[in-house]
Amino acid sequence: MKKLLKHMKLIHLIFLILGGAVIISALPFKTQYNTIYVNVDATGIENASSEMTNAINQDQKLLYDYYNLIGDNFDNHKTLVYDFQNSLNVVNSLILWFGIVLVIAALVLFLFQNHKRKIYYGTNVLMSVVATLATVVFGVIVLVQLLGAMGTLGANLELFNSVAVLQNSDLRTTAYQAAEAAGAAGAKDALASYFYVTSTTLVFYMIGIIVVIVYSLFMLILTFSKFKRTKERRQEILSKAVENND
């Protein structure tokens, strides 16, 4: 413990770096799942159709054609896909804000000099408690959202993968042609060879956020330990001063 207390500056710097890493990682998270979507306009999801285009003027015709090919209608699934894409946007925003919370918490700790102060006071402990509480509460919120998204993805993996493939501008035409050539009976298997969406990213984020939460609790323990040690030192100094005066 004594050795750890000597490296408080590095420990707090790592916490700041973790916050920055979470913020930066929000972009690849969004990119990982950005092909799972339904094109909509101001009228809402109920009017989404095969002709409705997105920002890059790409329609959903191949998506609807594929579901017609396998004897289904994509209209039966569009609300589920739309709700999932919205939930992923929420998760992405929460990840971004979680990173911002971490950075602010770390900067507050640096402001109160928790990283280099030799003697800790009550304010140092208070700021550490606040920073840890904010990290844990926000981290748990993100974890709950990630668990929900992972459950929905796992229960509808084939649906979301087919949507992702047929909304991917690089794969959609080739994948649909392969499915069409395989016919109704083999279309699903043919399209499945192009699948690439998994829950791996969600799992990594869950692990990462748990690590950050544990790290913040570890920092809090170090704060209390240092406060206890400096309190004992102050008491020793006070006792010696009293003895000298006597």
Side-chain angles (χ1 to χ4, degrees), residues 8 15 21 52 58-59 69-70 76 82 87 91 118 149 161 166 169 180 182 186 192 196-197 201 215 227 234 238 245:
M8 291 297 279
F15 189 62
M52 194 172 289
Q58 178 175 291
D59 61 39
L69 177 64
I70 63 174
N76 298 328
Y82 182 69
S87 69
V91 173
K118 293 183 178 180
N161 254 308
L166 294 169
S169 56
E180 187 177 38
Y196 59 90
V197 174
T201 301
Y215 192 83
F227 179 72
R234 289 199 302 270
L238 182 61
N245 288 333

Side-chain angles (χ1 to χ4, degrees), residues 62-180:
L62 292 183
L63 183 60
Y64 275 81
D65 287 350
Y66 168 76
Y67 274 86
N68 288 334
L69 177 64
I70 63 174
D72 199 352
N73 186 341
F74 183 68
D75 282 336
N76 298 328
H77 310 287
K78 64 183 181 182
T79 300
L80 177 59
V81 176
Y82 182 69
D83 289 343
F84 183 64
Q85 76 186 65
N86 285 335
S87 69
L88 285 179
N89 287 334
V90 171
V91 173
N92 185 244
S93 296
L94 286 174
I95 289 171
L96 179 61
W97 277 106
F98 181 59
I100 293 173
V101 167
L102 293 180
V103 169
I104 292 174
L107 291 177
V108 167
L109 294 178
F110 274 100
L111 180 65
F112 280 84
Q113 298 187 351
N114 281 40
H115 63 297
K116 67 177 183 179
R117 191 182 289 276
K118 293 183 178 180
I119 297 178
Y120 270 20
Y121 297 94
T123 51
N124 297 107
V125 176
L126 177 62
M127 289 303 104
S128 188
V129 169
V130 170
T132 302
L133 187 62
T135 300
V136 171
V137 170
F138 222 100
V140 169
I141 291 173
V142 178
L143 282 175
V144 170
Q145 292 295 325
L146 284 169
L147 279 170
M150 192 163 64
T152 304
L153 178 63
N156 303 278
L157 195 57
E158 183 179 326
L159 167 64
F160 293 145
N161 254 308
S162 65
V163 173
V165 169
L166 294 169
Q167 299 283 59
N168 186 314
S169 56
D170 295 326
L171 298 176
R172 63 198 304 263
T173 302
T174 303
Y176 177 75
Q177 288 174 346
E180 187 177 38

